[in-house]
């Protein structure tokens, strides 16, 4: 018996491979063959043509093999592990994907660690990764939590477009100790989310099931002067409204939150469980 794989994903995987490195070699090989046919005569030309054709053939073969879908994995077998984003598709039964997005230092990775109740020892997030998070439900439900670098917009786009649910992490200040609600930080959030929405509109992806807007670091902003707090609350409300009116999701909800308050983290986990089940 061969291992079970999602063979119908092979054509797309092959196309992606051909568009990638092996494709470049393939095109290069073909160009080499054609170019040398036209330009060089004699044994050198023939040698180059053969070399070019062999290079093209080898890269097509390489892409065909690399495109073989990975073996299907049971969620229990990969619980509490991180994997590349694409590998989530080889989990069976399929998992809902929750992408945590926001600019750098908003608290995305900390949220994922707190939900996971463990450190993933990834100090500054560099790459996209998917973490298989078991929720405390009966029967057990798993969700793939996608995290990426807040500094690399293309990574934020990629996780947002593939997600079923989006968790938007807002904060009042990029610091992890200051109370002050800073306008430049709010402007960064607004600009960031504008870009994400434009991207989602452009890529015309599937409708999100849920957008969760977290007003993170409340352990800090709750200590800011009343007027600043109000300003932050109005800003977050406005953001939630923009997502709602853009019709991106079945539901948009907004919550005060702190990664430093265990009850808040437990509430987020419970909210996720409710949404994944429905
Ligand atoms: N005070 C406070 N600090 C937080 C909170 N969430 C995250 N941080 C801190 O903010 C910094 C950036 O967090 P990180 O999760 O790496 O942000 P990311 O870039 O969005 O992944 C770290 O020093 C965290 O400890 C929070 O709710 N309260
Ligand atoms: Mg991070």
């Amino acid at each position: 018996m061969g291992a079970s794989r999602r063979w119908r994903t092979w054509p797309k995987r092959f196309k992606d491979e051909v568009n990638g490195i092996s494709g470049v070699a393939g095109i290069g090989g073909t160009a080499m063959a054609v170019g040398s046919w036209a330009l060089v005569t004699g044994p050198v030309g023939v040698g180059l043509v053969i070399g070019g054709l062999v290079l093209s053939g080898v890269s097509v073969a390489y892409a065909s093999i690399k495109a073989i879908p990975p073996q299907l994995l049971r969620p229990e077998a990969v619980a509490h592990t991180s994997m590349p984003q694409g590998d989530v598709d080889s989990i069976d039964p399929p998992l809902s994907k929750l992408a945590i997005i926001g600019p750098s230092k908003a608290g995305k990775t900390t949220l994922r660690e707190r939900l996971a109740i463990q450190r993933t020892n990834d100090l500054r997030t560099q790459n996209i990764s998917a973490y298989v998070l078991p929720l405390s439900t009966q029967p057990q439900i798993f969700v793939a939590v996608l995290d990426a670098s807040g500094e690399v917009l293309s990574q934020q786009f990629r996780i947002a477009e593939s997600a079923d649910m989006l968790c938007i992490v807002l904060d009042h200040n990029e610091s992890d100790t200051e109370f002050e609600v800073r306008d430049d930080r709010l402007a960064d959030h607004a600009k960031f989310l504008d870009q994400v929405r434009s991207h989602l509109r452009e890529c015309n992806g599937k409708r999100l099931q849920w957008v969760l807007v977290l007003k993170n670091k409340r352990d800090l902003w709750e200590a800011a002067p009343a007027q600043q707090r109000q300003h932050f609350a109005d800003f977050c409300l406005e953001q939630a409204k923009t997502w709602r009116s853009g019709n991106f999701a079945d539901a948009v909800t907004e919550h005060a939150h702190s990664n430093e308050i265990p009850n808040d983290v437990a509430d987020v986990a419970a909210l996720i469980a409710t949404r994944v089940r429905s």
Side-chain angles (χ1 to χ4, degrees):
M1 262 301 281
S4 52
R5 298 170 196 269
R6 291 207 171 94
W7 284 107
R8 67 198 138 75
T9 64
W10 186 86
K12 185 183 178 297
R13 293 174 59 89
F14 177 71
K15 189 173 142 260
D16 291 347
E17 282 300 329
V18 169
N19 287 337
I21 299 160
S22 51
V24 173
I27 292 161
T30 310
M32 196 167 132
V34 172
S36 27
W37 186 258
L39 293 174
V40 190
T41 48
V44 177
V46 173
L48 278 173
V49 169
I50 293 172
L53 291 176
V54 166
L55 183 55
S56 310
V58 166
S59 32
V60 167
Y62 175 70
S64 324
I65 291 167
K66 266 201 87 186
I68 292 175
Q71 284 186 29
L72 289 181
L73 300 163
R74 298 292 302 168
E76 308 85 64
V78 283
H80 286 299
T81 64
S82 291
M83 56 181 69
Q85 181 180 11
D87 289 7
V88 175
D89 294 329
S90 54
I91 297 176
D92 192 52
L95 299 193
S96 289
K97 293 181 207 157
L98 171 77
I100 304 181
I101 62 161
S104 206
K105 302 207 181 143
K108 303 178 295 295
T109 304
T110 311
L111 173 63
R112 185 164 82 164
E113 284 178 354
R114 299 288 144 87
L115 288 168
I117 328 177
Q118 71 183 52
R119 282 202 65 82
T120 47
N121 68 42
D122 131 56
L123 291 176
R124 291 277 8 115
T125 317
Q126 309 273 357
N127 294 309
I128 296 180
S129 67
Y131 183 87
V132 177
L133 178 71
L135 297 163
S136 43
T137 50
Q138 278 301 335
Q140 179 89 77
I141 305 178
F142 300 85
V143 63
V145 182
L146 308 179
D147 184 29
S149 168
E151 276 156 27
V152 186
L153 208 46
S154 59
Q155 287 187 13
Q156 297 288 312
F157 290 167
R158 272 188 59 204
I159 64 172
E161 75 191 39
S162 78
D164 304 292
M165 299 172 292
L166 211 52
C167 173
I168 295 173
V169 184
L170 298 174
D171 64 6
H172 63 297
N173 192 314
E174 73 164 14
S175 149
D176 51 8
T177 50
E178 289 170 26
F179 306 144
E180 187 196 355
V181 176
R182 290 191 61 108
D183 271 330
D184 54 353
R185 182 60 165 176
L186 302 192
D188 284 348
H189 280 293
K191 190 168 159 217
F192 170 81
L193 291 175
D194 248 351
Q195 307 249 29
V196 174
R197 283 189 300 265
S198 300
H199 177 77
L200 290 179
R201 252 184 239 113
E202 243 161 51
C203 73
N204 227 339
K206 58 186 172 193
R207 186 181 166 83
L208 290 157
Q209 193 191 333
W210 179 39
V211 172
L212 163 67
V213 178
L214 288 185
K215 301 184 271 182
N216 190 31
K217 305 186 186 170
R218 81 171 167 104
D219 56 303
L220 301 176
W221 56 257
E222 277 181 348
Q227 201 188 350
Q228 289 187 21
R229 274 197 328 262
Q230 190 58 48
H231 181 48
F232 183 54
D234 291 345
F235 171 81
C236 298
L237 200 62
E238 199 50 49
Q239 283 304 319
K241 258 194 207 153
T242 310
W243 280 90
R244 230 170 257 134
S245 62
N247 210 16
F248 291 96
D250 297 341
V252 179
T253 63
E254 191 218 7
H255 309 262
H257 175 82
S258 169
N259 284 325
E260 296 303 316
I261 303 175
N263 270 341
D264 284 6
V265 176
D267 286 348
V268 169
L271 285 169
I272 296 170
T274 315
R275 292 288 168 179
V276 174
R277 249 187 311 214
S278 66

